[in-house]
């Protein structure tokens, strides 16, 4: 299935599979971005910052690091700014390789960049698979992986399932990892959408084998600016700083960190939207007879088992039906354990979510 796009938000790659123009107008449910769009002040701020393009940014991004540290209750020495969440993932793998880690475990199904980053740095990969359907973690298997491998990667809330591993399990895995000299790398790219607050930042005071990865592109809908960061012990972050290329984050992106974190109104509007739309969309999809995974993120994973049994159809066929109706959703062909039998949809505005529900209803009851 390597010819399927490896990421969402790429209509120009997916639509031609169905004989559709790549620039066709669609409602894009395939990328997990805040439908509120970037904060309204951002465009003007960028325009006013054009002069900054003529000078090199601070190589340590002191202002941005201070803002993140204050927001997280950490010291600036525990923060490293990155070029999006992707660079954070690759820097984590680079650190493991520098430390001599030869094998890492990854909780699957999940974002494919963890494995890609590990293999890029010559780290062998083993999988700890979540239970089919419920996507619960077998804690004993994960602990065994922490014992045998040099690191464990997990996404929390997980992409694409939206599930969230309990904090108590995470703490026990950290204890196991510390006992065996293993690092736990937790991608919190979607933690801003979890309720209540599920950030693992407080655990950094107790565990120096914890590394947290964050992305600011999902919450603030700025994927084109590439903005993320790493959180860890001062020693870990210092080691990562030695591996990061200089000036990997541009001045315009770095200059947005402090004002983005200070925009409490935007966060409140985001929370109000998600608190209304996530349960509504989950309930509507379930009412259609779909198997929907309860989500702690801004997306939902679902399948249509009855449709497959009764009509010999498949989720890829539903994917095509939706695409032909102007709705783009995320396939799951690249996710280990899913192999295309599920679809993932971002939570969007009520009119857009209603359009999705109505299109699926037409598919199930033509």
């Amino acid at each position: 299935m390597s010819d399927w796009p490896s990421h969402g938000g790429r209509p120009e790659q997916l639509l031609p599979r169905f004989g559709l123009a790549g620039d066709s107008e669609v409602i894009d449910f395939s990328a997990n971005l805040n439908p509120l769009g970037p904060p309204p002040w951002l465009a003007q701020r960028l325009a006013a910052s054009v002069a900054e393009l003529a000078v090199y940014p601070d190589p340590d991004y002191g202002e941005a690091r201070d803002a993140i540290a204050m927001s997280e209750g950490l010291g600036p020495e525990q923060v490293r700014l990155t070029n999006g969440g992707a660079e954070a993932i690759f820097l984590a793998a680079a650190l493991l390789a520098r430390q001599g880690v030869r094998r890492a475990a990854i909780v699957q199904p999940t974002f494919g960049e963890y494995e890609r980053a590990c293999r890029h740095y010559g780290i062998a990969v083993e999988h700890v698979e979540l239970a089919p359907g419920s996507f619960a973690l077998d804690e004993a298997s994960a602990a065994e992986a922490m014992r045998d491998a040099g690191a464990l990667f997990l996404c929390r809330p997980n992409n694409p399932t939206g599930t969230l591993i309990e904090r108590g399990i995470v703490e026990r895995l950290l204890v196991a990892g510390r006992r065996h000299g293993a690092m736990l790398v937790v991608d919190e790219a979607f933690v801003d959408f979890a309720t209540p607050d599920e950030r693992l930042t407080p655990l950094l005071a107790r565990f120096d084998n914890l590394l947290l990865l964050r992305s600011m592109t999902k919450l603030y809908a700025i994927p084109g600016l590439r903005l993320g960061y790493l959180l860890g012990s001062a020693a870990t972050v210092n080691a990562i700083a030695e591996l990061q290329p200089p000036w990997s984050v541009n001045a315009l992106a770095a200059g947005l960190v402090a004002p983005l974190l200070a925009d409490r109104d935007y966060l409140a509007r985001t929370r109000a939207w998600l608190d209304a739309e996530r349960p509504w969309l989950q309930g509507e999809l379930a009412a259609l007879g779909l198997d929907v995974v309860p989500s702690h993120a801004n997306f939902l994973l679902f399948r249509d088992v009855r449709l497959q049994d009764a009509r010999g159809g498949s989720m890829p066929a539903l994917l095509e039906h939706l695409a032909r109706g102007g709705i783009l959703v995320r396939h799951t062909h690249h996710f280990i354990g899913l192999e295309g039998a599920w679809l993932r949809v971002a939570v969007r505005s009520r009119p857009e979510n209603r359009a999705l529900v109505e299109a699926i209803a037409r598919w199930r009851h033509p």
Side-chain angles (χ1 to χ4, degrees), residues 82-105:
T82 63
N83 191 304
E87 188 189 26
I89 293 169
F90 274 74
L91 285 172
L95 173 68
L96 296 174
R98 172 70 65 87
Q99 293 175 337
V101 172
R102 304 293 299 274
R103 188 169 75 257

Side-chain angles (χ1 to χ4, degrees), residues 207 220 338 343:
F207 298 99
Y220 298 103
L338 301 185
L343 292 178

